[in-house]
Each structure stands twice: as structure tokens, then as C-alpha cells.
Amino acid sequence: MLVRHTLLFILILVFNVTPLASAHAQTEQQSILNSVRPSIQLASTQSKPVTNLSDYLISEKLDGVRGYWDGGAMYSRSGRKIPVPNWFVKGFPSYPLDGELWIKRGAFEQVSGIVRKSRATDKEWQSIRFMVFDLPAETSRFELRYQKAMNELNDLSPYLKVVDQYSFNSTQQLDTRLQAIIDEGGEGLMLHKKSAIYQVGRSQDIVKLKPFYDAEATVIAHKEGKGKFSGMLGALVVENEQGKIFNLGSGLSKAQRLNPPKVGSLVTYKYYGLTQKGTPRFASFLRVRAAQ
């Protein structure tokens, strides 16, 4: 069914802050504590309709791992140095790049697992591309930064690619593109204001468009299953950032029900708006959110 123009356009954090999972080693925790977070751009979390689509460049939202190339090394959003092979970044420019380490649609867990390894294999890294969506050191408006990236970056390395940006003049065109992305297994679209400068911290000029919303919550308990789920997990009891406690009973695989996310772990869930009490409507489990 075609996604209608009545969908809300949500200004969101481009990448949510993710606490360290308890399963990670203390040495990795200390490494992150000692690291310096890269100066990257974020968006706000308030709702706001987009009234003039021609003011925006539009790209697919990639479900990967945020990467910041400082001209000599790759860092995660939290500031952890990512151990990319030398051959992977050969040819990368000496100036900063903001982007996404990405494999393909629906492969978030694979890329996240590779990026978090201290010694991933060359074969694993060969499946990844660094998808660039901005140039943090440039002071020009976004549409000029995009042109510069397209002119200078696409032929430097087979592992470096600029995210394609498009322009639409009507919500019908936008809805058609969004529906095509969803049908092909994608997440949604990103709208970036053409006139926006690169602002470290929160920006009001980046918009994520999805047919549903997602957010993070902490697992606080396990609910025992009944019937066909007898002897397995029935639902995760979670608490979100707003302090709302609710169950995530759908979206879990059999393997996840037999070996559920641990209490204290952070999970991503999807939902379709909020109830009058502020509880996520039709919330369902998406994945465990690993530390980046």
C-alpha cells in the first residue's frame, strides 16, 4: 500500500547514544572511556512537518554503523577507534568524512559485528563500503558539500562511495520513492536541507522519514511464554528513555526466545505512534543494540 503524505516527518537523532553492553570486555570499555567523541552532526527529536520539499536533498537511510574518518583513522560515534585494515582505507582523502559503514539492506547485525571485532578477517571487511554523506570540515552549504564529495571521492577507492542524493518537488514523488525503498528491504529516507551548514551537535536540518518509528529501550525483565511459547520467552519487559514500561512480545525469533537479550541490555523496537498515555503503539522487537 502506498505510503501516504499524511506520514509525519520526524526530526531525530541521526544516531542514538548507545550505552556499553555489559557483555563487552572491560578493556574495550576503558578504551571507549579514554576516547574522544568525534565532532559530528546530530539532529533533534522533535516532530515537525516539512512544507517545502524542494529545499531538501533526499537519500536512502542506510542501516549501518556510523563512521567518522578524520583523515588518518576511522572512529565510531562514541569515539572508539575502528580497526579498519590499511588496504581498506588506501586512497581515502586526508580530510574528514562523515558516513556509514554499510554492507547492504538488512545487514546491520553483520556490519556491527565486523566493526566491533578487534581482528575481523579481510574477507569480512571486503563486504563493507564506507558510504559518505557529509564533509565535516567544509563550511559551505550542504548542496555544495555534496557536489564536492561527488567530484572528489567516488573514484578514490572501491570501498569508498558517496551516498546518492535526489530532489523531489511533491509528496507524491517522495511517497513513491519511500515505498520503493521499503519494498526493497530498506529502512526509509533521509532529508537534508540544501542550505544547511555542517553543525557539530544538534541540527534542525536533518529529517528521517520512515513508515514506522524506532527507538531504544532497556530490558528490565523477562516474561515467561505460554502456549506455543511455553518454556521460552513470552515477552521482554522494557523501559524506554521516557520511563515508559511495556512489553515487546512480537518480532522475536525462536532462537531469541530460547536465548533472549539479557536484562540490562539495550534493544531497538519499532512502533506506530503513541497512545494517549504516551506508550509506544504496536511496539515490536527489532534487534539488540550493540555498543558502537
Side-chain angles (χ1 to χ4, degrees):
M1 180 171 60
L2 185 67
V3 180
R4 300 189 180 278
H5 67 275
T6 51
L7 284 169
L8 287 177
F9 295 85
I10 303 299
L11 285 163
I12 61 148
L13 282 173
V14 176
F15 291 87
N16 295 317
V17 177
T18 305
L20 292 173
S22 59
H24 284 268
Q26 290 184 356
T27 53
E28 183 176 351
Q29 295 180 8
Q30 191 60 45
S31 173
I32 294 177
L33 289 173
N34 292 337
S35 64
V36 177
R37 292 175 182 269
S39 300
I40 57 176
Q41 185 169 237
L42 303 172
S44 68
T45 55
Q46 67 188 66
S47 299
K48 181 181 179 181
V50 173
T51 56
N52 193 348
L53 286 177
S54 62
D55 288 343
Y56 292 83
L57 286 174
I58 299 162
S59 62
E60 180 176 352
K61 183 192 179 301
L62 303 178
D63 190 17
V65 173
R66 184 75 170 266
Y68 179 85
W69 171 254
D70 72 350
M74 186 77 71
Y75 294 91
S76 71
R77 188 207 180 284
S78 66
R80 180 178 63 85
K81 188 174 182 180
I82 299 174
V84 293
N86 290 333
W87 57 260
F88 183 89
V89 296
K90 184 179 180 180
F92 280 28
S94 58
Y95 53 81
L97 306 174
D98 193 359
E100 194 97 351
L101 290 161
W102 187 71
I103 294 178
K104 62 180 181 179
R105 293 165 179 156
F108 171 80
E109 292 184 2
Q110 292 94 313
V111 68
S112 178
I114 293 169
V115 167
R116 288 183 289 112
K117 287 182 179 179
S118 58
R119 293 183 181 179
T121 66
D122 285 353
K123 184 177 180 180
E124 289 174 316
W125 273 103
Q126 286 167 2
S127 66
I128 297 176
R129 300 293 181 270
F130 185 48
M131 308 294 290
V132 177
F133 48 68
D134 217 332
L135 306 178
E138 293 294 315
T139 57
S140 57
R141 61 186 187 271
F142 178 63
E143 62 181 340
L144 296 181
R145 299 199 302 273
Y146 171 60
Q147 292 173 10
K148 176 181 172 69
M150 290 293 288
N151 291 337
E152 297 184 5
L153 300 180
N154 272 332
D155 297 325
L156 294 181
S157 165
Y159 302 102
L160 183 67
K161 187 180 186 308
V162 178
V163 176
D164 292 327
Q165 303 282 344
Y166 303 92
S167 293
F168 298 120
N169 294 317
S170 70
T171 54
Q172 183 178 359
Q173 290 178 322
L174 186 71
D175 289 347
T176 299
R177 179 59 179 163
L178 175 61
Q179 188 64 50
I181 292 293
I182 298 304
D183 290 345
E184 294 168 5
E187 276 212 335
L189 298 173
M190 298 296 299
L191 286 71
H192 198 143
K193 205 163 191 178
K194 294 176 182 178
S195 62
I197 62 171
Y198 193 98
Q199 302 178 45
V200 174
R202 295 176 185 263
S203 169
Q204 300 292 322
D205 296 322
I206 302 173
V207 183
K208 180 170 75 171
L209 174 61
K210 300 173 70 173
F212 59 83
Y213 313 128
D214 62 31
E216 274 68 53
T218 302
V219 177
I220 61 174
H222 292 158
K223 202 169 185 178
E224 187 176 348
K226 298 178 181 179
K228 67 177 181 178
F229 297 135
S230 180
M232 296 185 285
L233 175 76
L236 296 170
V237 183
V238 300
E239 181 176 1
N240 65 13
E241 294 178 350
Q242 291 71 41
K244 297 294 182 180
I245 296 175
F246 52 96
N247 295 337
L248 295 177
S250 61
L252 294 153
S253 67
K254 183 176 180 181
Q256 288 165 333
R257 291 184 186 279
L258 291 170
N259 186 24
K262 295 180 180 179
V263 171
S265 61
L266 196 72
V267 299
T268 302
Y269 63 93
K270 69 178 181 179
Y271 65 103
Y272 298 83
L274 302 174
T275 67
Q276 290 183 345
K277 294 181 179 180
T279 303
R281 189 188 303 275
F282 306 125
S284 62
F285 175 86
L286 276 180
R287 57 177 173 260
V288 175
R289 190 71 184 181
Q292 302 295 309

